[in-house]
Amino acid sequence: MAPKKLRRARLSQELCERLSRYQITTCQDFLCLSLLDLMKVTGQSYRNVQKLLCKVSLACAPKMQTAYEMKVRRAVNPSSAFLSTSLHGLDKVLHGGVPCGSLTEITSPPGCGKTQFCIMMSVLATLPVSMGGLDGAVIYIDTESAFSAERLVEIAGNRFPAYFDSDEKLFSMTRSIYLYRELTCGSVLKRIKSLEEEIISKKVKLIIIDSVASVVRKEFDTKLQGNLTERSNFLARGASLLKYLAEEFSIPVILTNQITTWLSNGLAIQADLVSPADDLCLSEGASGGGKRESGSVTAALGNTWSHSVNTRLILQYHDLPTRQILVAKSPVAPFSAFFYTVEKSGFVLQDPVRCPVPPLLQR
């Protein structure tokens, strides 16, 4: 909660403006200063500074809640807990869809539909609550220049023709999608840091970053000394800020990831240690016992990142044009798999029955 802006800690506008001149803009910036430093920058007495410290501390301290309160709140307003994917079988397994207040990762080989899924979810977030949407805006951070406004309109018109029955409604939906193209780790992190006030002013209900791995892999060669540590620090910092935004505003955050290859000696290219939930069933010659052999692939960015995301969905090839979506990691759902195709209307599930668990994920 420390990344919370001081403006939201109910300090006076005059004081916030004075503090910002010293680059003190968040609760964390404020709380890291000594009493003497605070007296200097605020121009206030020792006692008043102590009161300010208490006020800022209370504003950013996580509030205690019981499990009963959480359950009642979700029962009263279930739409605030999830963003429906409009894929009935997947929503049922996930207890409602993509969870609000946490990070959901979509990982796959190229061409399986990660960006298509993100564009579809962008449309869904703008829909009224009565249709399973969140009735809000979307911030879409595109690091690969893969976003297509034409595809956005196509999915909306074909998936919900009765609702988007006019050009005016389609254009209104597109005005609710705020696209940022960020091509470096520094610019992505800077953008994430600036999102708090934007979420409030634009009534944002969904954040998407497509993709995290793209900028990380371009900038951090893990074969060079120190780069693995720097990469882990960047990922941990970014995940921490995104979790704060997700929890503070109770919105879903969707991130896309790429894949990496495991060598026969057990070392990974572009990754550190991984968990079973990272495995994709795309290995050549992989044994049924779950051993990684030459050619096996796994989600990129390693174990540090894997622990940061709350839910992981894996997309993979099955046979053309059918693919599979796997619920590989979730705090509420068991491992599940569904066949799907990518149509003009976005993702379409082909079989609502759960598929058998692939050998690499039988652990």
Side-chain angles (χ1 to χ4, degrees):
M1 302 290 277
K4 177 182 284 189
K5 296 292 184 181
L6 276 173
R7 294 179 186 276
R8 298 184 57 232
R10 297 185 178 179
L11 300 187
S12 68
Q13 184 176 347
E14 181 185 355
L15 180 56
C16 288
E17 290 174 355
R18 177 168 182 158
L19 290 169
S20 68
R21 291 197 289 269
Y22 295 92
Q23 286 75 51
I24 303 168
T25 58
T26 68
C27 294
Q28 183 175 8
D29 296 336
F30 189 89
L31 295 173
C32 285
L33 296 175
S34 67
L35 282 167
L36 184 59
D37 287 336
L38 286 174
M39 289 171 65
K40 289 179 180 177
V41 297
T42 62
Q44 299 196 21
S45 67
Y46 179 83
R47 177 170 290 185
N48 285 342
V49 165
Q50 282 188 313
K51 290 179 181 178
L52 286 173
L53 276 171
C54 289
K55 190 172 186 176
V56 173
S57 298
L58 287 172
C60 69
K63 295 177 175 60
M64 186 279 295
Q65 58 183 331
T66 65
Y68 176 77
E69 289 170 335
M70 291 177 65
K71 188 175 186 304
V72 168
R73 187 173 68 253
R74 290 192 175 184
V76 171
N77 189 13
S79 61
S80 66
F82 299 94
L83 169 60
S84 170
T85 66
S86 72
L87 304 171
H88 178 71
L90 182 60
D91 281 351
K92 186 175 180 181
V93 165
L94 293 174
H95 293 206
V98 175
C100 297
S102 65
L103 310 187
T104 296
E105 181 198 79
I106 314 296
T107 188
S108 81
C112 280
K114 294 188 297 292
T115 298
Q116 303 285 323
F117 184 86
C118 290
I119 292 174
M120 185 178 78
M121 296 306 296
S122 297
V123 174
L124 291 164
T126 67
L127 293 176
V129 174
S130 60
M131 294 179 65
L134 297 176
D135 194 20
V138 178
I139 287 179
Y140 196 116
I141 299 175
D142 181 10
T143 68
E144 297 184 310
S145 300
F147 182 87
S148 167
E150 291 76 17
R151 182 62 175 136
L152 178 78
V153 171
E154 182 181 43
I155 289 176
N158 284 277
R159 199 169 194 87
F160 303 100
Y163 181 73
F164 293 107
D165 56 358
S166 66
D167 288 344
E168 184 181 350
K169 277 197 172 182
L170 283 169
F171 292 150
S172 177
M173 180 272 296
T174 61
R175 285 193 289 268
S176 296
I177 313 294
Y178 298 91
L179 179 69
Y180 296 102
R181 298 197 189 279
E182 307 292 357
L183 305 179
T184 66
C185 290
S187 64
V188 169
L189 196 59
K190 185 177 179 180
R191 177 63 60 190
I192 294 171
K193 289 178 179 178
S194 72
L195 290 183
E196 184 170 355
E197 292 183 5
E198 207 166 347
I199 290 171
I200 298 170
S201 62
K202 295 176 178 175
K203 297 182 180 179
V204 172
K205 297 293 184 177
L206 172 65
I207 297 172
I208 294 174
I209 302 181
D210 181 24
S211 78
V212 177
S214 176
V215 288
V216 171
R217 287 176 137 181
K218 281 188 293 186
E219 292 192 30
F220 295 104
D221 182 354
T222 54
K223 295 176 183 178
L224 299 178
Q225 187 176 7
N227 267 14
L228 184 58
T229 300
E230 287 184 27
R231 187 190 74 165
S232 295
N233 289 340
F234 166 77
L235 290 172
R237 178 65 174 152
S240 175
L241 290 168
L242 289 169
K243 281 195 173 187
Y244 159 71
L245 294 173
E247 293 171 3
E248 178 72 7
F249 298 101
S250 190
I251 60 175
V253 174
I254 297 177
L255 313 152
T256 67
N257 192 4
Q258 299 173 355
I259 63 168
T260 192
T261 304
W262 276 81
L263 306 179
S264 57
N265 61 0
L267 298 176
I269 301 172
Q270 297 284 356
D272 49 6
L273 298 175
V274 298
S275 69
D278 300 327
D279 286 333
L280 286 86
C281 312
L282 300 169
S283 59
E284 297 176 2
S287 66
K291 293 173 63 179
R292 297 187 183 91
E293 298 184 8
S294 60
S296 65
V297 294
T298 186
L301 304 182
N303 215 30
T304 300
W305 178 254
S306 180
H307 285 299
S308 297
V309 297
N310 305 99
T311 303
R312 167 171 278 153
L313 304 180
I314 294 176
L315 312 181
Q316 63 179 23
Y317 292 106
H318 180 67
D319 56 39
L320 292 176
T322 307
R323 301 159 195 178
Q324 272 188 318
I325 182 168
L326 313 176
V327 181
K329 176 186 178 184
S330 168
V332 299
F335 171 84
S336 307
F338 303 89
F339 292 115
Y340 71 95
T341 55
V342 180
E343 312 286 351
K344 285 186 176 181
S345 61
F347 276 37
V348 176
L349 292 189
Q350 298 301 299
D351 187 351
V353 180
R354 291 184 195 178
C355 309
V357 179
L360 271 180
L361 288 169
Q362 289 177 345
R363 303 249 172 149

PDB file of all heavy atoms in Angstrom, residues 131 156-166 169:
ATOM      1  N   MET A 131     -24.082  -7.522 -18.322  1.00  0.00           N
ATOM      2  CA  MET A 131     -23.617  -8.435 -19.376  1.00  0.00           C
ATOM      3  C   MET A 131     -22.322  -9.138 -18.985  1.00  0.00           C
ATOM      4  O   MET A 131     -21.679  -9.775 -19.817  1.00  0.00           O
ATOM      5  CB  MET A 131     -23.414  -7.655 -20.681  1.00  0.00           C
ATOM      6  CG  MET A 131     -24.688  -7.094 -21.273  1.00  0.00           C
ATOM      7  SD  MET A 131     -24.402  -6.156 -22.793  1.00  0.00           S
ATOM      8  CE  MET A 131     -23.791  -7.437 -23.902  1.00  0.00           C
ATOM      9  N   ALA A 156     -15.756  -7.099 -31.071  1.00  0.00           N
ATOM     10  CA  ALA A 156     -16.934  -6.516 -30.411  1.00  0.00           C
ATOM     11  C   ALA A 156     -18.193  -6.722 -31.237  1.00  0.00           C
ATOM     12  O   ALA A 156     -19.234  -7.180 -30.731  1.00  0.00           O
ATOM     13  CB  ALA A 156     -16.700  -5.028 -30.150  1.00  0.00           C
ATOM     14  N   GLY A 157     -18.113  -6.406 -32.530  1.00  0.00           N
ATOM     15  CA  GLY A 157     -19.287  -6.498 -33.385  1.00  0.00           C
ATOM     16  C   GLY A 157     -19.772  -7.919 -33.604  1.00  0.00           C
ATOM     17  O   GLY A 157     -20.986  -8.166 -33.700  1.00  0.00           O
ATOM     18  N   ASN A 158     -18.833  -8.868 -33.665  1.00  0.00           N
ATOM     19  CA  ASN A 158     -19.208 -10.259 -33.913  1.00  0.00           C
ATOM     20  C   ASN A 158     -19.578 -11.018 -32.642  1.00  0.00           C
ATOM     21  O   ASN A 158     -20.370 -11.952 -32.691  1.00  0.00           O
ATOM     22  CB  ASN A 158     -18.067 -10.998 -34.623  1.00  0.00           C
ATOM     23  CG  ASN A 158     -17.970 -10.648 -36.090  1.00  0.00           C
ATOM     24  OD1 ASN A 158     -18.668 -11.203 -36.926  1.00  0.00           O
ATOM     25  ND2 ASN A 158     -17.102  -9.697 -36.410  1.00  0.00           N
ATOM     26  N   ARG A 159     -19.012 -10.612 -31.508  1.00  0.00           N
ATOM     27  CA  ARG A 159     -19.294 -11.330 -30.261  1.00  0.00           C
ATOM     28  C   ARG A 159     -20.599 -10.844 -29.623  1.00  0.00           C
ATOM     29  O   ARG A 159     -21.335 -11.615 -29.017  1.00  0.00           O
ATOM     30  CB  ARG A 159     -18.125 -11.184 -29.279  1.00  0.00           C
ATOM     31  CG  ARG A 159     -18.135 -12.248 -28.186  1.00  0.00           C
ATOM     32  CD  ARG A 159     -16.837 -12.249 -27.401  1.00  0.00           C
ATOM     33  NE  ARG A 159     -16.709 -13.455 -26.595  1.00  0.00           N
ATOM     34  CZ  ARG A 159     -16.192 -14.605 -27.022  1.00  0.00           C
ATOM     35  NH1 ARG A 159     -15.741 -14.684 -28.261  1.00  0.00           N
ATOM     36  NH2 ARG A 159     -16.118 -15.653 -26.232  1.00  0.00           N
ATOM     37  N   PHE A 160     -20.846  -9.547 -29.747  1.00  0.00           N
ATOM     38  CA  PHE A 160     -22.054  -8.970 -29.134  1.00  0.00           C
ATOM     39  C   PHE A 160     -22.800  -8.106 -30.150  1.00  0.00           C
ATOM     40  O   PHE A 160     -22.921  -6.886 -29.974  1.00  0.00           O
ATOM     41  CB  PHE A 160     -21.677  -8.138 -27.900  1.00  0.00           C
ATOM     42  CG  PHE A 160     -20.910  -8.902 -26.863  1.00  0.00           C
ATOM     43  CD1 PHE A 160     -19.526  -8.778 -26.771  1.00  0.00           C
ATOM     44  CD2 PHE A 160     -21.557  -9.767 -25.995  1.00  0.00           C
ATOM     45  CE1 PHE A 160     -18.807  -9.495 -25.818  1.00  0.00           C
ATOM     46  CE2 PHE A 160     -20.850 -10.489 -25.035  1.00  0.00           C
ATOM     47  CZ  PHE A 160     -19.470 -10.353 -24.947  1.00  0.00           C
ATOM     48  N   PRO A 161     -23.316  -8.729 -31.227  1.00  0.00           N
ATOM     49  CA  PRO A 161     -23.965  -7.941 -32.289  1.00  0.00           C
ATOM     50  C   PRO A 161     -25.211  -7.209 -31.811  1.00  0.00           C
ATOM     51  O   PRO A 161     -25.520  -6.122 -32.304  1.00  0.00           O
ATOM     52  CB  PRO A 161     -24.314  -9.000 -33.340  1.00  0.00           C
ATOM     53  CG  PRO A 161     -24.338 -10.305 -32.590  1.00  0.00           C
ATOM     54  CD  PRO A 161     -23.317 -10.168 -31.517  1.00  0.00           C
ATOM     55  N   ALA A 162     -25.927  -7.790 -30.842  1.00  0.00           N
ATOM     56  CA  ALA A 162     -27.148  -7.139 -30.352  1.00  0.00           C
ATOM     57  C   ALA A 162     -26.827  -5.882 -29.554  1.00  0.00           C
ATOM     58  O   ALA A 162     -27.601  -4.909 -29.570  1.00  0.00           O
ATOM     59  CB  ALA A 162     -27.955  -8.114 -29.494  1.00  0.00           C
ATOM     60  N   TYR A 163     -25.703  -5.879 -28.853  1.00  0.00           N
ATOM     61  CA  TYR A 163     -25.331  -4.716 -28.039  1.00  0.00           C
ATOM     62  C   TYR A 163     -24.623  -3.664 -28.899  1.00  0.00           C
ATOM     63  O   TYR A 163     -24.973  -2.483 -28.854  1.00  0.00           O
ATOM     64  CB  TYR A 163     -24.434  -5.138 -26.880  1.00  0.00           C
ATOM     65  CG  TYR A 163     -24.035  -3.993 -25.981  1.00  0.00           C
ATOM     66  CD1 TYR A 163     -24.956  -3.425 -25.102  1.00  0.00           C
ATOM     67  CD2 TYR A 163     -22.748  -3.453 -26.020  1.00  0.00           C
ATOM     68  CE1 TYR A 163     -24.607  -2.357 -24.284  1.00  0.00           C
ATOM     69  CE2 TYR A 163     -22.387  -2.385 -25.213  1.00  0.00           C
ATOM     70  CZ  TYR A 163     -23.316  -1.836 -24.344  1.00  0.00           C
ATOM     71  OH  TYR A 163     -22.967  -0.778 -23.545  1.00  0.00           O
ATOM     72  N   PHE A 164     -23.634  -4.100 -29.677  1.00  0.00           N
ATOM     73  CA  PHE A 164     -22.924  -3.155 -30.547  1.00  0.00           C
ATOM     74  C   PHE A 164     -23.652  -3.105 -31.887  1.00  0.00           C
ATOM     75  O   PHE A 164     -23.138  -3.555 -32.924  1.00  0.00           O
ATOM     76  CB  PHE A 164     -21.470  -3.592 -30.715  1.00  0.00           C
ATOM     77  CG  PHE A 164     -20.648  -3.506 -29.456  1.00  0.00           C
ATOM     78  CD1 PHE A 164     -20.273  -4.659 -28.770  1.00  0.00           C
ATOM     79  CD2 PHE A 164     -20.271  -2.281 -28.930  1.00  0.00           C
ATOM     80  CE1 PHE A 164     -19.527  -4.577 -27.608  1.00  0.00           C
ATOM     81  CE2 PHE A 164     -19.521  -2.187 -27.772  1.00  0.00           C
ATOM     82  CZ  PHE A 164     -19.155  -3.345 -27.097  1.00  0.00           C
ATOM     83  N   ASP A 165     -24.860  -2.556 -31.863  1.00  0.00           N
ATOM     84  CA  ASP A 165     -25.720  -2.557 -33.046  1.00  0.00           C
ATOM     85  C   ASP A 165     -25.621  -1.271 -33.861  1.00  0.00           C
ATOM     86  O   ASP A 165     -26.405  -1.037 -34.778  1.00  0.00           O
ATOM     87  CB  ASP A 165     -27.178  -2.796 -32.634  1.00  0.00           C
ATOM     88  CG  ASP A 165     -27.663  -1.767 -31.614  1.00  0.00           C
ATOM     89  OD1 ASP A 165     -26.862  -0.905 -31.203  1.00  0.00           O
ATOM     90  OD2 ASP A 165     -28.841  -1.851 -31.215  1.00  0.00           O
ATOM     91  N   SER A 166     -24.644  -0.436 -33.523  1.00  0.00           N
ATOM     92  CA  SER A 166     -24.456   0.813 -34.274  1.00  0.00           C
ATOM     93  C   SER A 166     -23.001   1.231 -34.212  1.00  0.00           C
ATOM     94  O   SER A 166     -22.257   0.844 -33.301  1.00  0.00           O
ATOM     95  CB  SER A 166     -25.330   1.925 -33.699  1.00  0.00           C
ATOM     96  OG  SER A 166     -24.900   2.274 -32.385  1.00  0.00           O
ATOM     97  N   LYS A 169     -22.021   3.031 -30.928  1.00  0.00           N
ATOM     98  CA  LYS A 169     -21.667   2.212 -29.765  1.00  0.00           C
ATOM     99  C   LYS A 169     -20.263   1.630 -29.901  1.00  0.00           C
ATOM    100  O   LYS A 169     -19.523   1.546 -28.918  1.00  0.00           O
ATOM    101  CB  LYS A 169     -22.688   1.085 -29.593  1.00  0.00           C
ATOM    102  CG  LYS A 169     -23.939   1.498 -28.849  1.00  0.00           C
ATOM    103  CD  LYS A 169     -24.706   0.292 -28.364  1.00  0.00           C
ATOM    104  CE  LYS A 169     -25.858   0.707 -27.446  1.00  0.00           C
ATOM    105  NZ  LYS A 169     -26.593  -0.459 -26.921  1.00  0.00           N
TER     106      LYS A 169
END
